[in-house]
Amino acid sequence: MVFMGGMDGPDDSFETPLWGENLRVAGVDEVGRGPLAGPVVAAAVVLDPLCIPPGLNDSKKLSAKRRARLTGWLHECAEVSIGVATVEEIDELNILQASLLAMHRAVTGLKRPAQHALVDGRFIPPQLPCHATPIIKGDGRSVSIAAASVVAKCYRDRVMRDLAQQHPGYGWETNAGYGSKKHKEALQNLGVTPHHRRSFKPIHNILWQANFTSD
């Protein structure tokens, strides 16, 4: 069954029945499906029902400062695992399959196996080592998925800030690789880097035009 997200923000209504069975529940979410550059990052977070940081929500609804504070708390009172799919894997597999791969890596990277995963979206990563429930708009409905969205967002933003130092001019420190005006202008002026997703249409078109004009 796929559960539809609600409008009231995340709560523990999905987790509570599973916790009542003494199951280790992992919230799973990914960040970075839309950008033109950088990896896609997923997180799996196993919350302690007795130590849930207040204010968890969809990472897009929180400030960077709030996300950083929550991530710090989560690393102290929850079990956190990160999974990454590279630009090369995105181009080889497609972004959906790469996102599911990153989620799978996050879940299997937990120090102690999860017994049930609550996964944001419509799809469950193939070959998960536990039962799983897909929840549409889960980052706004489940506290565990919200926690995963916050952790994944903080991690990926940090990756893009580091890459921005290696490749200045694209604005990755602020746009996180999304197709902002500054990023698109830099692509025209500076060209495509190894961290750009060549399977994405804007990058593919630039490379095609460069090859066409060089012939």
Side-chain angles (χ1 to χ4, degrees):
M1 180 181 295
V2 178
F3 292 94
M4 296 297 294
M7 298 297 292
D8 298 327
D11 59 31
D12 62 2
S13 59
F14 295 104
E15 290 84 353
T16 297
L18 300 168
W19 287 338
E21 298 178 21
N22 293 318
L23 297 179
R24 280 172 50 79
V25 180
V28 188
D29 198 6
E30 53 74 27
V31 174
R33 287 183 62 170
L36 303 179
V40 60
V41 173
V45 176
V46 178
L47 291 174
D48 178 349
L50 301 179
C51 184
I52 299 176
L56 285 171
N57 206 338
D58 175 357
S59 63
K60 297 183 292 295
K61 297 181 179 180
L62 301 173
S63 68
K65 183 177 180 180
R66 181 65 178 169
R67 289 194 298 265
R69 182 175 299 174
L70 284 168
T71 295
W73 288 346
L74 289 166
H75 278 285
E76 290 179 1
C77 67
E79 185 175 339
V80 174
S81 174
I82 296 291
V84 176
T86 65
V87 169
E88 291 79 11
E89 289 171 325
I90 292 169
D91 288 338
E92 178 183 353
L93 300 172
N94 73 44
I95 186 59
L96 172 59
Q97 295 304 316
S99 298
L100 295 175
L101 176 61
M103 288 182 174
H104 184 277
R105 287 170 173 167
V107 173
T108 57
L110 289 164
K111 293 180 180 179
R112 289 196 295 147
Q115 295 166 303
H116 197 106
L118 301 176
V119 182
D120 184 55
R122 293 181 176 273
F123 304 105
I124 296 172
Q127 299 179 331
L128 276 186
C130 62
H131 294 292
T133 303
I135 305 175
I136 295 172
K137 298 182 181 179
D139 48 7
R141 187 67 184 275
S142 157
V143 287
S144 296
I145 297 177
S149 78
V150 169
V151 171
K153 172 68 172 168
C154 281
Y155 185 94
R156 189 178 187 281
D157 284 353
R158 186 165 64 250
V159 168
M160 296 309 297
R161 287 194 298 269
D162 291 343
L163 290 178
Q165 295 181 0
Q166 302 172 32
H167 300 276
Y170 297 89
W172 293 344
E173 66 278 8
T174 55
N175 62 43
Y178 283 87
S180 67
K181 181 180 178 181
K182 179 177 181 179
H183 190 177
K184 290 180 178 179
E185 289 176 348
L187 277 166
Q188 296 294 336
N189 297 327
L190 301 175
V192 175
T193 74
H195 302 288
H196 281 102
R197 301 173 179 180
R198 283 155 169 73
S199 57
F200 278 40
K201 189 173 181 180
I203 308 303
H204 175 81
N205 289 346
I206 289 172
L207 292 171
W208 183 87
Q209 291 168 1
N211 290 333
F212 180 80
T213 55
S214 65
D215 290 341

